Amino acid sequence: MDSCINFNTAYGDISIIGNDVEIIRGYSKKTAQDIIRLFKTNERDYELDVSYGLDLDRFIGKAISDLLAVEIKNSIEDTLIKNEIIKDLSNLQILYMIIENTINFRIMLPGIDSITVDFLQEKGFEIE
């Protein structure tokens, strides 16, 4: 039997026949773009929504340490939830590694490629 989708426009019904329907679990490419946009936006950049964005510029110039990395990680998590980009932290992983004057962050969610972000002590954030 061939797969097909039938639409009944009179009643708004949809019939799916066959086994070719795939349910995608996880997050979409749009979610990845939303996260990247958030990194490129500071709080108070948008006049109509001053709470949108990450307030990461406040970390520039601070000494690179595990304590700073955890503080930045917590800020990222809080902002992703506050801006409703993700609903909860259960599937989110933010890993970091410190190399000299840089903290390398990797943000991972099911269904999207990981997002790599570097924090440089004197420059701020760079998205790879």
Side-chain angles (χ1 to χ4, degrees):
M1 171 187 260
D2 290 333
S3 297
C4 68
I5 298 177
N6 294 324
F7 295 94
N8 182 333
T9 57
Y11 299 104
D13 295 334
I14 299 173
S15 300
I16 300 172
I17 302 167
N19 296 321
D20 292 335
V21 176
E22 181 181 353
I23 297 172
I24 299 171
R25 301 202 190 287
Y27 294 88
S28 67
K29 295 284 184 187
K30 180 187 178 307
T31 305
Q33 288 301 309
D34 289 344
I35 292 170
I36 291 168
R37 186 177 309 110
L38 197 66
F39 267 94
K40 292 182 175 185
T41 309
N42 287 312
E43 279 186 332
R44 297 170 298 282
D45 277 357
Y46 291 133
E47 186 176 321
L48 298 177
D49 187 359
V50 294
S51 67
Y52 180 83
L54 284 164
D55 189 20
L56 298 176
D57 285 351
R58 64 189 161 113
F59 298 112
I60 295 174
K62 290 189 175 183
I64 300 294
S65 67
D66 281 318
L67 185 62
L68 179 63
V70 169
E71 189 177 347
I72 293 170
K73 177 182 176 246
N74 290 341
S75 180
I76 294 167
E77 290 172 346
D78 293 346
T79 304
L80 289 173
I81 295 287
K82 179 180 82 174
N83 287 283
E84 299 178 355
I85 293 174
I86 62 172
K87 297 208 183 309
D88 60 59
L89 300 175
S90 62
N91 292 315
L92 175 69
Q93 278 190 301
I94 301 177
L95 307 175
Y96 69 88
M97 179 173 36
I98 298 174
I99 301 172
E100 295 179 14
N101 287 331
T102 303
I103 306 172
N104 298 353
F105 289 94
R106 177 167 283 173
I107 301 166
M108 297 182 294
L109 285 164
I112 66 172
D113 295 332
S114 65
I115 300 167
T116 304
V117 180
D118 294 332
F119 173 76
L120 292 78
Q121 181 177 8
E122 298 303 324
K123 293 182 181 179
F125 288 87
E126 294 179 355
I127 299 172
E128 292 184 20

